[in-house]
Amino acid sequence: MLPQEIIRHKRDGQRLPAFEIAAFIEGVTSGAVTDGQVAAFAMAVFFNGMNRDEAVAMTLAMRDSGDVLDWSDLPGPVTDKHSTGGVGDNVSLMLAPIVAACGAYVPMISGRGLGHTGGTLDKMDAIPGYASQPDIALFRKAVLETGCAIIGQTADLAPADRRLYGIRDVTGTVESVPLITASILSKKLAAGLQSLVLDVKVGNGAFMEKSRDATALANSLVEVASGAGLKVSALITGMSEPLASAAGNAVEVRNAVDFLTGRLRDRRLEDVTLALAAEMLQSAGLVSSNQDGMRRATETLASGRAAATFARMVAVLGGPTDFVERPEKYLPRAATEVAVKAPADGFVTGIATRDIGLAVVGLGGGRTRPDDKVDPAVGITRLLPIGAEVQAGDALALIHARSPLDAEAAAATVLSAYAIGGSKPPADKTVIRRILPRG
Ligand code: URA
């Protein structure tokens, strides 16, 4: 069938049968469908949506556009997590080793920063020598020997998504629930998972700021993943303040190492990490209840086994063998450090989280163009959480910058992102809701 006929059907609000979707996606992969046709198709889906069957067909067609990894030689369940992204969200760096140390295998294929949000892949690249884009043999070796490997997407996994995403990015068609769903899940299915936990963020630092939108995306992801044969659940978690007290690349890696070794555990980060770990262990069939999962994850973290797993993963993938013992020896440090001072006595009553992420991008820790090089050393640490009591002149945060000028600009952004008020605000829930497939 001609691509323009398939586009017409969706333009006119028809439901597309699986074979039409498969034919269109095949054309996206082979190049038989032009950029203009891909854009028109994406816009037709943006306006007319897709039902669950169409979204499942689209997800499976995109999964099958490239290699699908096979982990059937592994002696345990294969599982992963996907987060819709936020600021100070370094959960993956702790979650993968915690869950792996509990007996699951976590081949975690992660992405680069997008807009104001950080990317796990950029964070791992801050570790000298770490092969964040290894060949498949080294990826398999790391997963088999350590239980987890955090790496970037290879060109062979879901290539249709790569092309479609690039076109959506420049045609105003990113924010479509079925297109986001198929994009995320096709890559996860191509990674050969048996189960998946989704962390859908909501709040002023998330892509979905409103609860209604986050819930719609979580429902779509859970229903389509389940329809495509994955065991799946989702947590909706709060992103109305940075999750860790650090935002940036090397600084978030340092924060993760400190979390694993017990030197520093930011409370909200710990809540989300353990809740996701419990969820992953349960959907992987390693524990019989969520409570049991929480207990196993907490014990594994406290025993130091998760820290040891992270250390082995870093070493197998080419990083320093003593990275966890001496992260300060290896992580790059920015030339300038400047404290952001509280302007008045009171409590932190709110944080414009997106602006904190944009301040990191402004420092050079994220990208404004796809081919920008990220500076791993810059970022922000000691970010005070909502509810913290301060006196005028206390540090709200510490900026790590390449130059005093950059530091000044970031400090001004962070200062205006913090609201200070006279009374302590009630604590927000970190884990807001759990979503399971219907039926
Ligand atoms: N992340 C993805 O991988 N795809 C989307 O469409 C949006 C976020």
Side-chain angles (χ1 to χ4, degrees):
M1 175 173 277
L2 291 174
Q4 52 268 48
E5 289 303 300
I6 300 172
I7 296 164
R8 281 180 65 239
H9 291 166
K10 188 39 74 185
R11 182 201 66 190
D12 295 343
Q14 292 178 26
R15 279 172 55 175
L16 299 180
F19 76 88
E20 286 190 16
I21 293 174
F24 194 86
I25 296 299
E26 219 177 286
V28 172
T29 314
S30 70
V33 171
T34 66
D35 280 4
Q37 288 171 323
V38 176
F41 177 81
M43 194 58 88
V45 173
F46 181 90
F47 280 117
N48 289 325
M50 278 184 157
N51 70 13
R52 175 180 181 271
D53 290 349
E54 290 175 292
V56 169
M58 173 113 173
T59 302
L60 294 177
M62 294 201 336
R63 173 198 68 184
D64 294 337
S65 67
D67 291 349
V68 178
L69 301 181
D70 176 9
W71 300 100
S72 54
D73 53 334
L74 293 179
V78 181
T79 185
D80 196 5
K81 178 254 343 183
H82 178 84
S83 159
T84 57
V87 178
D89 177 8
N90 56 354
V91 167
S92 292
L93 277 65
M94 291 84 75
L95 186 62
I98 291 172
V99 173
C102 291
Y105 289 89
V106 189
M108 187 175 269
I109 297 182
S110 54
R112 300 218 173 268
L114 193 64
H116 68 282
T117 68
T120 300
L121 192 53
D122 293 328
K123 293 168 204 174
M124 298 313 288
D125 277 341
I127 303 175
Y130 186 89
S132 67
Q133 297 193 282
D135 60 26
I136 199 80
L138 180 56
F139 181 36
R140 281 189 175 280
K141 177 177 150 74
V143 173
L144 186 64
E145 289 181 7
T146 74
C148 59
I150 303 175
I151 70 153
Q153 194 190 354
T154 73
D156 311 325
L157 291 181
D161 174 62
R162 187 183 297 263
R163 180 158 179 233
L164 180 55
Y165 191 88
I167 294 172
R168 285 168 57 211
D169 203 18
V170 293
T171 55
T173 49
V174 168
E175 302 91 343
S176 149
V177 167
L179 293 180
I180 294 173
T181 301
S183 170
I184 291 171
L185 293 179
S186 60
K187 286 175 283 206
K188 291 294 173 189
L189 285 161
L193 308 177
Q194 293 150 355
S195 60
L196 175 67
V197 173
L198 296 149
D199 180 10
V200 178
K201 304 282 187 199
V202 65
N204 66 8
F207 284 113
M208 300 294 182
E209 292 199 26
K210 295 198 187 89
S211 171
R212 197 189 45 207
D213 296 337
T215 305
L217 179 59
N219 277 325
S220 167
L221 285 163
V222 163
E223 289 305 320
V224 174
S226 164
L230 273 181
K231 275 204 75 178
V232 64
S233 61
L235 296 183
I236 297 193
T237 66
M239 183 40 74
S240 287
E241 59 183 300
L243 194 54
S245 57
N249 295 298
V251 293
E252 283 189 51
V253 174
R254 178 60 200 260
N255 179 279
V257 171
D258 287 350
F259 182 105
L260 286 165
T261 55
R263 276 192 291 261
L264 169 76
R265 287 198 186 129
D266 295 311
R267 187 192 58 77
R268 296 175 67 258
L269 182 63
E270 185 170 10
D271 286 353
V272 172
T273 305
L274 292 174
L276 288 167
E279 207 65 33
M280 278 173 83
L281 292 173
Q282 193 181 8
S283 63
L286 287 170
V287 294
S288 53
S289 68
N290 209 268
Q291 245 178 354
D292 210 12
M294 191 67 92
R295 197 165 43 241
R296 276 280 287 281
T298 307
E299 277 166 16
T300 303
L301 184 59
S303 70
R305 288 199 302 278
T309 298
F310 184 81
R312 277 204 308 280
M313 175 189 79
V314 169
V316 171
L317 285 166
T321 51
D322 61 345
F323 182 70
V324 166
E325 288 92 72
R326 287 189 289 169
E328 67 287 348
K329 180 174 165 200
Y330 298 105
L331 288 171
R333 273 188 86 135
T336 304
E337 289 181 8
V338 169
V340 182
K341 305 266 179 62
D345 295 357
F347 295 88
V348 177
T349 54
I351 301 175
T353 313
R354 186 185 162 82
D355 291 347
I356 302 287
L358 291 174
V360 174
V361 175
L363 286 165
R367 296 178 185 77
T368 49
R369 290 144 48 123
D371 50 356
D372 278 351
K373 235 176 106 50
V374 158
D375 185 338
V378 300
I380 310 172
T381 57
R382 301 197 209 163
L383 285 153
L384 287 186
I386 291 177
E389 187 169 7
V390 290
Q391 296 194 328
D394 285 355
L396 294 172
L398 186 65
I399 308 285
H400 303 255
R402 285 188 283 223
S403 69
L405 212 63
D406 284 0
E408 224 174 274
T413 305
V414 171
L415 185 60
S416 63
Y418 268 77
I420 310 289
S423 51
K424 187 171 175 160
D428 265 355
K429 270 172 86 170
T430 331
V431 177
I432 297 164
R433 194 174 315 145
R434 180 172 187 231
I435 294 186
L436 297 171
R438 282 192 295 262

